[in-house]
Amino acid sequence: MIIIECILTLYVREILIPVKVGEVVSRFTGDFESFDPASSEHDLPPSSEPEDVALFWVNRACAQLNQEIARDYMNQDDVSQIDPDEPCPVVPSLDELSDMCDGCSLFGLLAFYCPTQLDWHEICLKQDISIADSIYNLQRVQYFTAEHFPSDVCFLTLEDFLYLPEPLVPNFLAFIADLLFLFEIQPVECVTAPYLRLFPEGYGDEYQPSK
């Protein structure tokens, strides 16, 4: 068991490198050309701890998705459908790993990187999310990774996700590292690189939406 945990830890630290993740974020926020990891002005994870790096990446990706959600929400074809008393849906910000247990941010991460396969409207985003809502989000994450990834990287059960006991934190971080690897380092076919989608003018013919 100790050997497995050591292997997981090594893998996670190999993928969740603060500077590399900072570069990833700078691309989809439009700051890549001016990105300088030595500068205190640029956005980097608060520490080199894998948990902080994972939270940094997921939070920044979901914040970018929230901007897209807000644009879509306000640009609906039928403006009369907008309820002034109903706030625009938002993927909540995370303070710790256990905040991912409702599945909102994980589902949001998939929708951000694979928008041709998943629509953000499919995410259950409520101010008071129930266990049933969380299970729905998490099941969608499980189904998607099993169907669209070359190998199933989601070995955690619904119960593992919902309660995230301390012994399973390395496994959860390994799952986040797998997502980063399959989205940014060796993108799978279903991925549309966010920076190409959001800033096509800066990358010319590189923009090829996923089929």
Side-chain angles (χ1 to χ4, degrees):
M1 189 68 175
I2 294 178
I3 294 176
I4 294 175
E5 288 185 7
C6 289
I7 293 173
L8 284 175
T9 300
L10 286 172
Y11 170 69
V12 167
R13 288 190 176 276
E14 182 71 20
I15 301 298
L16 297 178
I17 302 173
V19 171
K20 295 299 181 183
V21 172
E23 289 179 3
V24 164
V25 169
S26 72
R27 282 198 294 270
F28 63 64
T29 56
D31 297 326
F32 184 66
E33 290 186 2
S34 61
F35 179 75
D36 178 5
S39 172
S40 59
E41 297 181 2
H42 287 284
D43 208 12
L44 288 171
S47 80
S48 61
E49 288 301 313
E51 180 173 337
D52 287 334
V53 180
L55 288 170
F56 174 83
W57 174 52
V58 177
N59 271 331
R60 295 303 185 277
C62 289
Q64 202 69 27
L65 176 63
N66 281 334
Q67 293 184 29
E68 297 184 67
I69 290 174
R71 284 196 295 269
D72 290 351
Y73 185 76
M74 296 307 299
N75 292 332
Q76 295 182 57
D77 293 333
D78 187 356
V79 180
S80 63
Q81 292 183 353
I82 299 178
D83 184 350
D85 297 323
E86 185 72 24
C88 175
V90 172
V91 180
S93 180
L94 311 168
D95 293 320
E96 52 190 34
L97 288 182
S98 61
D99 292 339
M100 295 193 205
C101 293
D102 60 10
C104 294
S105 56
L106 291 175
F107 200 164
L109 195 64
L110 297 182
F112 181 61
Y113 276 93
C114 309
T116 59
Q117 307 291 334
L118 287 174
D119 192 304
W120 68 261
H121 292 86
E122 299 174 56
I123 310 171
C124 185
L125 295 172
K126 298 179 180 178
Q127 290 183 323
D128 297 313
I129 193 163
S130 68
I131 292 292
D133 298 328
S134 300
I135 290 174
Y136 162 79
N137 284 335
L138 294 168
Q139 283 181 327
R140 292 298 304 274
V141 171
Q142 289 180 319
Y143 295 156
F144 185 86
T145 56
E147 182 178 353
H148 293 280
F149 290 178
S151 60
D152 191 1
V153 298
C154 189
F155 298 109
L156 297 171
T157 66
L158 287 174
E159 186 174 322
D160 295 335
F161 276 117
L162 284 170
Y163 302 106
L164 194 59
E166 189 66 29
L168 289 181
V169 168
N171 303 70
F172 185 81
L173 286 170
F175 174 61
I176 300 298
D178 281 333
L179 292 181
L180 180 61
F181 181 83
L182 293 169
F183 287 159
E184 289 284 356
I185 300 173
Q186 191 173 311
V188 289
E189 187 177 351
C190 61
V191 169
T192 299
Y195 62 93
L196 297 182
R197 184 180 81 253
L198 297 172
F199 306 102
E201 69 283 353
Y203 296 92
D205 296 335
E206 277 191 69
Y207 181 39
Q208 297 292 333
S210 300
K211 302 295 184 184

